[in-house]
Amino acid sequence: MDIKIKFGLKLKKIRNEKNLSQEKLAELSSMDRSYLSNIERGKKNISLEKINELSKALEIDISKLFELEENKDDF
């Protein structure tokens, strides 16, 4: 699975666990909702600065966003 898709799925999972809508997380992280949607779908290659903004908006350590699920087909 593509790394952008893995990251997007992880972001979406955390956002849902925090009971945040895409709109609210986009607002908290100062980004457009459509851009956030594209990140969650693995359509955008997000910068480290934006990842940092997302971790702050989600009130989590940035490392949590990099704890990606491994798929046996990735090796």
Side-chain angles (χ1 to χ4, degrees):
M1 183 182 304
D2 183 278
I3 189 70
K4 293 180 295 195
I5 293 172
K6 285 183 183 182
F7 183 86
L9 290 172
K10 181 66 175 198
L11 176 60
K12 184 176 182 178
K13 179 181 177 187
I14 294 171
R15 178 178 59 77
N16 286 331
E17 288 171 353
K18 299 274 186 175
N19 294 314
L20 292 172
S21 66
Q22 280 185 343
E23 291 81 6
K24 186 62 177 175
L25 181 55
E27 176 186 325
L28 292 170
S29 57
S30 302
M31 65 178 67
D32 188 81
R33 192 218 45 88
S34 62
Y35 182 68
L36 179 61
S37 174
N38 283 327
I39 294 167
E40 287 187 353
R41 291 183 290 125
K43 303 292 182 186
K44 290 289 182 186
N45 194 9
I46 185 171
S47 70
L48 289 173
E49 289 90 357
K50 290 293 184 185
I51 293 170
N52 189 49
E53 290 175 23
L54 286 168
S55 72
K56 288 179 181 179
L58 291 165
E59 299 178 339
I60 61 170
D61 189 274
I62 194 170
S63 66
K64 295 293 183 194
L65 289 167
F66 293 102
E67 293 174 0
L68 306 177
E69 302 297 321
E70 291 298 327
N71 183 325
K72 66 179 179 179
D73 296 331
D74 291 340
F75 300 102

